[in-house]
Short mmCIF file of all heavy atoms in Angstrom, two decimals:
data_model
loop_
_atom_site.label_atom_id
_atom_site.label_comp_id
_atom_site.label_asym_id
_atom_site.label_seq_id
_atom_site.Cartn_x
_atom_site.Cartn_y
_atom_site.Cartn_z
N PHE A 100 -77.00 -92.23 -8.34
CA PHE A 100 -75.75 -92.92 -8.81
C PHE A 100 -74.72 -92.77 -7.70
O PHE A 100 -73.88 -91.88 -7.78
CB PHE A 100 -75.38 -92.31 -10.14
CG PHE A 100 -76.39 -92.23 -11.22
CD1 PHE A 100 -77.18 -91.20 -11.44
CD2 PHE A 100 -76.68 -93.43 -12.07
CE1 PHE A 100 -78.22 -91.13 -12.40
CE2 PHE A 100 -77.55 -93.39 -13.03
CZ PHE A 100 -78.43 -92.24 -13.16
N HIS A 103 -68.91 -94.32 -7.61
CA HIS A 103 -68.48 -95.15 -8.65
C HIS A 103 -67.33 -94.45 -9.25
O HIS A 103 -67.22 -93.33 -9.20
CB HIS A 103 -69.56 -95.37 -9.63
CG HIS A 103 -70.08 -94.12 -10.29
ND1 HIS A 103 -71.15 -93.44 -9.62
CD2 HIS A 103 -69.81 -93.56 -11.44
CE1 HIS A 103 -71.36 -92.32 -10.45
NE2 HIS A 103 -70.68 -92.42 -11.53
N PRO A 104 -66.41 -95.15 -9.92
CA PRO A 104 -65.23 -94.54 -10.52
C PRO A 104 -65.34 -94.18 -12.05
O PRO A 104 -66.37 -94.62 -12.61
CB PRO A 104 -64.26 -95.65 -10.42
CG PRO A 104 -64.94 -96.94 -10.49
CD PRO A 104 -66.27 -96.69 -9.98
N HIS A 105 -64.57 -93.48 -12.56
CA HIS A 105 -64.37 -93.27 -14.09
C HIS A 105 -62.87 -93.09 -14.40
O HIS A 105 -62.11 -92.60 -13.68
CB HIS A 105 -65.03 -91.97 -14.50
CG HIS A 105 -66.53 -91.79 -14.40
ND1 HIS A 105 -67.41 -92.32 -15.20
CD2 HIS A 105 -67.34 -91.36 -13.38
CE1 HIS A 105 -68.64 -92.18 -14.83
NE2 HIS A 105 -68.60 -91.52 -13.76
N THR A 110 -67.33 -86.84 -18.74
CA THR A 110 -68.76 -86.89 -18.63
C THR A 110 -69.31 -85.48 -18.68
O THR A 110 -68.77 -84.56 -18.04
CB THR A 110 -69.20 -87.60 -17.33
OG1 THR A 110 -68.94 -86.82 -16.20
CG2 THR A 110 -68.61 -88.94 -17.22
N MET A 139 -67.08 -82.73 -16.94
CA MET A 139 -66.04 -83.40 -16.12
C MET A 139 -65.13 -84.10 -16.89
O MET A 139 -65.48 -85.03 -17.74
CB MET A 139 -66.73 -84.27 -15.03
CG MET A 139 -65.76 -84.88 -14.11
SD MET A 139 -66.41 -86.05 -12.96
CE MET A 139 -66.43 -87.67 -13.98
N HIS A 147 -66.74 -90.75 -7.65
CA HIS A 147 -67.82 -89.65 -7.18
C HIS A 147 -69.20 -90.40 -7.00
O HIS A 147 -69.37 -91.54 -7.47
CB HIS A 147 -67.80 -88.53 -8.21
CG HIS A 147 -68.42 -88.86 -9.56
ND1 HIS A 147 -68.65 -87.85 -10.44
CD2 HIS A 147 -68.80 -90.02 -10.13
CE1 HIS A 147 -69.20 -88.41 -11.56
NE2 HIS A 147 -69.24 -89.72 -11.37
N GLU A 149 -73.30 -89.07 -7.69
CA GLU A 149 -74.16 -88.13 -8.34
C GLU A 149 -75.59 -88.48 -7.94
O GLU A 149 -76.09 -89.54 -8.33
CB GLU A 149 -74.03 -88.34 -9.89
CG GLU A 149 -72.63 -88.03 -10.41
CD GLU A 149 -72.31 -88.70 -11.83
OE1 GLU A 149 -72.13 -89.87 -11.80
OE2 GLU A 149 -72.24 -88.02 -12.87
N GLN A 161 -76.79 -87.11 -19.66
CA GLN A 161 -75.36 -87.25 -19.44
C GLN A 161 -74.72 -87.90 -20.73
O GLN A 161 -75.09 -88.97 -21.19
CB GLN A 161 -75.08 -88.12 -18.32
CG GLN A 161 -73.63 -88.11 -17.93
CD GLN A 161 -73.16 -88.84 -16.57
OE1 GLN A 161 -73.00 -89.94 -16.43
NE2 GLN A 161 -73.10 -87.96 -15.53
N TRP A 163 -71.10 -89.10 -22.54
CA TRP A 163 -69.74 -89.60 -22.29
C TRP A 163 -68.94 -89.46 -23.63
O TRP A 163 -69.27 -89.91 -24.60
CB TRP A 163 -69.62 -91.08 -21.89
CG TRP A 163 -70.15 -91.35 -20.55
CD1 TRP A 163 -70.84 -90.53 -19.66
CD2 TRP A 163 -70.07 -92.62 -19.86
NE1 TRP A 163 -71.16 -91.14 -18.57
CE2 TRP A 163 -70.72 -92.47 -18.57
CE3 TRP A 163 -69.44 -93.83 -20.10
CZ2 TRP A 163 -70.76 -93.44 -17.63
CZ3 TRP A 163 -69.54 -94.80 -19.12
CH2 TRP A 163 -70.27 -94.59 -17.99
FE1 FE B 2 -70.21 -90.77 -12.87
#
Side-chain angles (χ1 to χ4, degrees):
F100 305 94
H103 60 276
H105 293 279
T110 68
M139 182 185 89
H147 69 173
E149 297 156 288
Q161 188 169 89
W163 289 10

